[in-house]
């Protein structure tokens, strides 16, 4: 138990009793507990294995290499369509956690085993992400913008591609692209 993480479990929240119970289960693993990204994170030999976090409607255990897990109970959830590696176990009640305690423990053991194995997740390369036609057209017409986009880090490129592609209407995609041309030319990411 890491004292610098205690405040997360002491502050009153909708899922306070649930995350306290998840912490008890997590601490049984013997992993190092630390505070990362404002969350209780459990670490093996310097590698993040899982964390406990909460949202408006649920609390969860997020597995950093969840995509490699067997999910024997078919209860892992992909956070979003663009998430490649992480998976969650979500909970909405203390009773649910207590009923699934042995299963949760088994999932934690599996995550630790995967981390110990050194197995890596092969992530999609930036060029494998969909490039919206509207953005492709703009890049063809503006070599300076194309060059600036290609100089961005792969993560920044992916963020723009996902943001542009997520708009349902062409007009919205065009507006998003136009609004971010300056940022791209400045070498900035979507969230910089």
């Amino acid at each position: 138990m890491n004292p610098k993480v205690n405040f997360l479990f002491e502050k009153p929240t909708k899922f306070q009793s649930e995350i306290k119970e998840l912490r008890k289960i997590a601490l049984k693993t013997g992993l190092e507990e630390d505070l990362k990204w404002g969350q209780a994170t459990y670490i093996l030999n310097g590698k993040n294995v899982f964390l406990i976090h909460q949202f408006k409607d649920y609390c969860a255990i997020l597995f950093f290499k969840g995509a490699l897990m067997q999910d024997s109970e078919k209860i892992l959830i992909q956070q979003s369509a663009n998430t490649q590696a992480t998976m969650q176990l979500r909970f909405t009640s203390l009773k649910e956690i207590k009923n699934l305690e042995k299963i949760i423990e088994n999932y934690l053991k599996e995550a630790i085993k995967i981390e110990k194995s050194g197995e890596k997740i092969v992530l999609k390369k930036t060029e494998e992400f969909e490039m919206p036609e509207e953005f492709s057209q703009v890049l063809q017409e503006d070599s300076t913008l194309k060059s600036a986009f290609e100089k961005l880090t792969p993560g920044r490129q992916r963020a723009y591609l996902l943001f542009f592609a997520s708009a349902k209407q062409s007009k919205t995609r065009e507006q998003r692209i136009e609004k971010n041309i300056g940022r791209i030319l400045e070498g900035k990411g979507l969230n910089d």
Side-chain angles (χ1 to χ4, degrees):
M1 190 178 288
N2 186 333
K4 77 178 186 180
V5 179
N6 287 345
F7 78 96
L8 290 172
F9 300 96
E10 293 168 354
K11 67 181 179 183
T13 65
K14 180 177 178 179
F15 295 107
Q16 184 180 28
S17 58
E18 289 82 0
I19 63 169
K20 280 183 176 181
E21 190 66 24
L22 290 174
R23 185 187 199 191
K24 282 184 207 172
I25 297 168
L27 289 171
K28 290 180 193 177
T29 66
L31 295 181
E32 174 190 349
E33 181 182 63
D34 202 357
L35 183 67
K36 291 190 175 188
W37 309 284
Q39 309 298 328
T41 306
Y42 299 85
I43 302 162
L44 176 69
N45 300 323
K47 302 286 185 182
N48 303 319
V49 180
F50 62 90
L51 61 75
I52 297 171
H53 57 168
Q54 56 184 318
F55 298 88
K56 184 176 135 191
D57 297 324
Y58 63 89
C59 61
I61 296 175
L62 178 125
F63 296 98
F64 287 93
K65 292 184 177 178
L68 297 176
M69 296 175 67
Q70 294 299 311
D71 194 15
S72 58
E73 302 294 321
K74 306 293 182 229
I75 56 176
L76 286 177
I77 297 169
Q78 187 175 1
Q79 243 179 312
S80 73
N82 298 313
T83 304
Q84 296 182 65
T86 60
M87 299 286 275
Q88 293 179 326
L89 283 179
R90 292 182 182 174
F91 309 98
T92 56
S93 73
L94 184 59
K95 182 180 179 188
E96 181 182 17
I97 293 168
K98 288 185 182 254
N99 287 342
L100 294 173
E101 184 170 354
K102 288 295 176 204
I103 292 169
I104 295 167
E105 289 174 358
N106 288 336
Y107 274 61
L108 298 180
K109 287 175 188 172
E110 182 183 0
I112 293 166
K113 184 178 176 185
I114 289 168
E115 190 54 54
K116 284 181 178 178
S117 78
E119 192 173 353
K120 305 258 186 237
I121 292 183
V122 179
L123 300 175
K124 284 176 26 179
K125 296 188 184 323
T126 301
E127 51 274 5
E128 294 177 72
F129 283 83
E130 173 192 352
M131 180 172 297
E133 185 178 319
E134 297 84 355
F135 190 51
S136 179
Q137 185 67 39
V138 170
L139 293 180
Q140 286 176 7
E141 296 168 1
D142 187 339
S143 61
T144 304
L145 179 63
K146 182 177 189 217
S147 176
F149 183 75
E150 290 171 349
K151 288 178 184 173
L152 293 174
T153 63
R156 287 182 171 141
Q157 290 178 10
R158 283 190 300 272
Y160 280 117
L161 292 175
L162 291 169
F163 179 63
F164 298 156
S166 68
K168 291 182 174 77
Q169 296 183 5
S170 180
K171 182 179 178 182
T172 307
R173 288 190 292 276
E174 290 169 358
Q175 289 171 341
R176 287 181 179 185
I177 292 163
E178 186 62 36
K179 185 177 178 181
N180 285 284
I181 287 174
R183 299 180 65 74
I184 294 170
L185 290 171
E186 293 171 11
K188 293 182 178 178
L190 187 62
N191 300 311
D192 291 343

